[in-house]
């Protein structure tokens, strides 16, 4: 029999550029009662910057942690339109998503900026969720492992094992994000095992066995259980299906029913 995983799963919702403050309050009014008794996993919601205050206020006293979707690597400065790690901490965030594929694709995020943002998040005590994943072209060219290796080294190679310990990695194959096309549990499992082997090589077996790797890409109430049945999958980063409180609660409560 396989040993029980030492890792507490995390289910995180990435709201992208959706929801006002009022819509955020409405979401939590429905969502919180549905997850009030959930204890098998951590729950994170990442609203847009302008809804952070409403989310923090609404989630106060619950088990839901609030994360941002991005940050700048400097603590302050002449960077119009940017938000820093200390600002996020002050707003009540406890985590931040870094290197989401939409930021890599549309906003020039690179492995280097991911590493800088990651250091800033860690220095401020924010729990980072670092996204990695291959495009369809890269997968079809047989380059998945090469891409994951490059993104992993780019983000983490300068870190110590102590720096690495609070980090969550999200494996998000770009071809599965917002497309309705989920990776099969087997395919996600393969990528997660590969990522864990990279962590073991760089930070040791102990750090690798504690690393939480979330799967992201069209996760829904209908497919979460198949994914979570894999030992290597420690939760999910959910986009579209996290916008509806009932569907996100059904994903969070994947152990029931
Ligand atoms: C995401 O934005 O991280 C994501 C996985 O989106 P979706 O669940 O909509 O594919």
């Amino acid at each position: 029999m396989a040993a029980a995983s030492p890792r507490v799963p995390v289910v995180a919702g990435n709201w992208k550029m959706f929801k006002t403050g009022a819509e955020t309050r409405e979401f939590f009014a429905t969502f919180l009662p549905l997850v009030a008794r959930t204890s098998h996993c951590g729950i994170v919601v990442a609203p847009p910057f302008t809804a952070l205050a409403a989310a923090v206020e609404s989630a106060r006293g619950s088990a839901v942690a609030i994360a941002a979707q991005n940050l700048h690597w400097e603590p302050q400065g002449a960077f119009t339109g940017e938000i820093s790690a200390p600002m996020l901490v002050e707003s009540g965030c406890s985590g931040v998503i870094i290197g989401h594929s939409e930021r890599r694709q549309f906003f020039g995020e690179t492995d280097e900026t991911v590493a800088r943002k990651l250091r800033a998040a860690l220095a401020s005590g924010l729990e980072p969720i670092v996204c990695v994943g291959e495009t369809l072209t890269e997968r079809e060219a047989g380059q998945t492992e090469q891409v994951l290796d490059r993104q992993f080294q780019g983000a983490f190679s300068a870190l110590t094992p102590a720096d690495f310990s609070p980090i969550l990695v999200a494996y998000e194959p770009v071809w599965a994000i917002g497309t309705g096309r989920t990776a099969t549990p087997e395919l996600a499992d393969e990528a997660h095992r590969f990522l864990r082997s990279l962590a073991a090589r760089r930070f040791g077996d102990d750090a690798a066995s504690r690393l939480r790797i979330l799967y992201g890409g069209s996760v829904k109430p209908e497919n979460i259980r198949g994914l979570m049945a894999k030992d290597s999958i420690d939760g999910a980063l959910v986009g579209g299906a996290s916008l509806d409180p009932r569907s996100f609660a059904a994903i969070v409560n994947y152990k029931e029913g």
Side-chain angles (χ1 to χ4, degrees):
M1 207 174 92
S5 166
R7 303 179 292 271
V8 177
V10 170
V11 178
N14 171 19
W15 284 359
K16 313 191 188 204
M17 199 172 71
F18 291 99
K19 292 198 193 293
T20 62
E23 288 165 342
T24 297
R25 279 185 276 273
E26 237 173 78
F27 173 94
F28 278 98
T30 306
F31 180 66
L32 289 181
L34 298 173
V35 298
R37 289 172 31 196
T38 303
S39 59
H40 62 272
C41 68
I43 309 169
V44 178
V45 171
F49 290 133
T50 49
L52 281 175
V56 167
E57 196 187 298
S58 303
R60 191 164 289 135
S62 78
V64 180
I66 305 302
Q69 299 172 18
N70 184 31
L71 80 169
H72 193 273
W73 53 83
E74 292 293 342
Q76 60 183 15
F79 300 105
T80 302
E82 294 292 325
I83 304 281
S84 74
M87 292 168 181
L88 295 179
V89 171
E90 195 218 20
S91 74
C93 282
S94 57
V96 60
I97 298 171
I98 300 176
H100 190 279
S101 65
E102 285 153 15
R103 296 217 54 88
R104 294 181 190 255
Q105 207 178 336
F106 304 126
F107 302 102
E109 195 109 318
T110 62
D111 293 335
E112 196 203 329
T113 59
V114 168
R116 294 177 85 173
K117 290 178 178 200
L118 181 55
R119 279 196 295 276
L122 291 170
S124 285
L126 290 166
E127 188 170 78
I129 302 177
V130 179
C131 303
V132 296
E134 79 288 357
T135 62
L136 186 59
T137 314
E138 289 163 342
R139 171 158 287 272
E140 287 177 346
Q143 294 168 349
T144 299
E145 293 196 349
Q146 196 183 320
V147 170
L148 295 181
D149 191 19
R150 192 201 72 225
Q151 293 175 338
F152 188 96
Q153 307 307 339
F156 307 129
S157 64
L159 302 183
T160 64
D163 293 332
F164 187 67
S165 67
I167 294 170
L168 283 79
V169 171
Y171 169 60
E172 298 210 306
V174 179
W175 47 269
I177 296 180
T179 57
R181 200 179 151 185
T182 327
T184 60
E186 290 66 34
L187 199 146
D189 181 53
E190 216 173 83
H192 283 222
R193 285 177 188 280
F194 177 69
L195 286 165
R196 204 174 304 284
S197 76
L198 296 177
R201 207 178 312 150
R202 176 66 188 82
F203 299 107
D205 288 343
D206 192 42
S209 73
R210 281 185 281 108
L211 171 66
R212 271 131 0 132
I213 308 178
L214 316 185
Y215 167 77
S218 299
V219 172
K220 301 180 204 70
E222 300 77 49
N223 57 28
I224 183 68
R225 287 167 85 189
L227 291 159
M228 292 307 295
K230 295 287 182 193
D231 277 354
S232 63
I233 300 180
D234 307 310
L237 181 54
V238 186
S242 71
L243 292 169
D244 177 78
R246 288 177 189 81
S247 95
F248 191 46
I251 294 171
V252 167
N253 292 327
Y254 62 88
K255 283 205 154 187
E256 294 169 11

